[in-house]
Amino acid sequence: MTSALLGHPVYRDMPTTIFEHMSARARETGAINLGQGFPEGPGPRAVLQAAADALLTKSSQYPPMAGLPELRSAIADHYARHQQCDLSPQEVIVTSGATEAIAASLLALVKPGDEVLMLAPLYDAYLPLVERVGGVAKVVTLTPPDWRVTREALSAAITPRTRILLMNNPVNPTGIVLRDAELALLADLCVAHDLIAICDEVWEQTVYDGIPHRPLIAFPGMRDRTVKIGSAGKIFSVTGWKVGWMCAAPPIATLLARAHQFLTFTTPPGLQWAVAEGLAYPDAWFSEQRAAYQASRDRLAAGLAAAGYVVQPSAATWFLSIDLPASGIALDDVAFCNRIIDEAGVAAIPISAFYPADPVTHLVRLCFSKTDQTLDQAIERLAAFRATLG
């Protein structure tokens, strides 16, 4: 085999993602999968019915490259209503999932040698995408339990070659919501150093305990230097639909669209019509979804606590984490995850998988977007396993 056939090293040397690995092991062993982040069940009936109706009664041919006008308008209206953003439909580009939006943003905005500032722990797609487009990752590591963003750490990482801030808020895997002071700091540094912020905000509607989501694009100086990314899969609990979007001021949106047109070009129109309808649902609908997930979070946290586990607070997302040493468990996160899938029949994700270097190794992420029955079974199994450790 010639060297030309070995492929690009970013992908050639990459292992299977931890999420696919643990989900495959869960399928093989019959374990309860609290690893990969997806809800149990088909999704909300009204949204599914809207998609079915659109599939049967509307066009199934290519929709416009930038997205159906109805969906672009619905996204702009949704953000005006829920987050007081002043976006126009022309500033919205519909993508086939948020990961495509992240890829298109990086392809459009990063030149070879540009530095991209990221906060670890981070979503696993960020680093390979940055490296594949020729960017240089500058990773600032946040530490538990508060995971605070500091001016000192960020300033030390920024150089004259830094062009992009790529960030996630609310944060997977930690379940934190960045505080207003931290967001103001990020905005201040972006303006001071002329950075564009790519903001992965897919968890914006899964924020609990009355905490509001504050988009970075709404902070002073950020309106014309931010790409705001969202996901219908997360908002409507239909992760397999892969409908996402990216929002930005016209000069940036034009570049994003040019990258998007040569990736997926477009997204299934029936799903777009359904998402457009769903985004117009009354506020109470979204509040009920949040309340249901918050109840699932509380159910899992209480059950784990009763079984002797110490869990970290989760203010957002579908995830919470077990603190192993605080729970009196002398295992690192990878060893714990391997043991519970074999001995307890529960799949989880080690937090160390979210670090490119110098990982935190004492936290294990569990997904709580499951039925009460599934959560109760998982708690029972993890309790029995905990009892074997003494």
Side-chain angles (χ1 to χ4, degrees), residues 71-81 85-89 92:
L71 179 53
R72 298 171 79 190
S73 294
I75 292 166
D77 292 345
H78 182 84
Y79 284 146
R81 183 157 54 101
C85 292
D86 62 339
L87 296 164
S88 71
V92 179

Side-chain angles (χ1 to χ4, degrees), residues 123 151 156 226 351 380:
Y123 179 51
R151 182 178 294 273
T226 300
I351 293 291
E380 182 178 350

Side-chain angles (χ1 to χ4, degrees), residues 251-268:
I252 296 177
T254 298
L255 295 175
L256 302 179
R258 288 173 180 168
H260 161 66
Q261 71 180 334
F262 295 120
L263 284 172
T264 62
F265 178 69
T266 191
T267 298

Side-chain angles (χ1 to χ4, degrees), residues 180-225:
D180 284 0
E182 292 170 305
L183 292 168
L185 168 62
L186 291 169
D188 180 58
L189 289 174
C190 284
V191 172
H193 295 277
D194 195 24
L195 309 183
I196 293 176
I198 301 174
C199 298
D200 174 358
E201 299 185 357
V202 299
W203 301 104
E204 59 198 348
Q205 283 287 4
T206 52
V207 181
Y208 312 120
D209 306 312
I211 300 173
H213 173 68
R214 297 287 307 281
L216 192 65
I217 198 171
F219 278 72
M222 296 306 295
R223 180 64 175 81
D224 295 328
R225 62 173 66 249

Side-chain angles (χ1 to χ4, degrees), residues 127-171:
L127 184 62
L129 288 173
V130 167
E131 292 179 340
R132 186 61 185 89
V133 302
V136 177
K138 300 285 285 189
V139 179
V140 174
T141 300
L142 309 183
T143 55
D146 295 328
W147 311 99
R148 290 201 175 271
V149 178
T150 68
R151 182 178 294 273
E152 293 74 21
L154 292 170
S155 297
I158 295 173
T159 78
R161 300 190 64 137
T162 309
R163 297 286 182 267
I164 302 289
L165 167 66
L166 173 57
M167 57 170 285
N168 177 218
N169 182 48
V171 184

Side-chain angles (χ1 to χ4, degrees), residues 334-346:
V334 174
F336 180 85
C337 287
N338 284 330
R339 285 193 61 178
I340 62 170
I341 200 166
D342 290 329
E343 300 176 36
V346 177

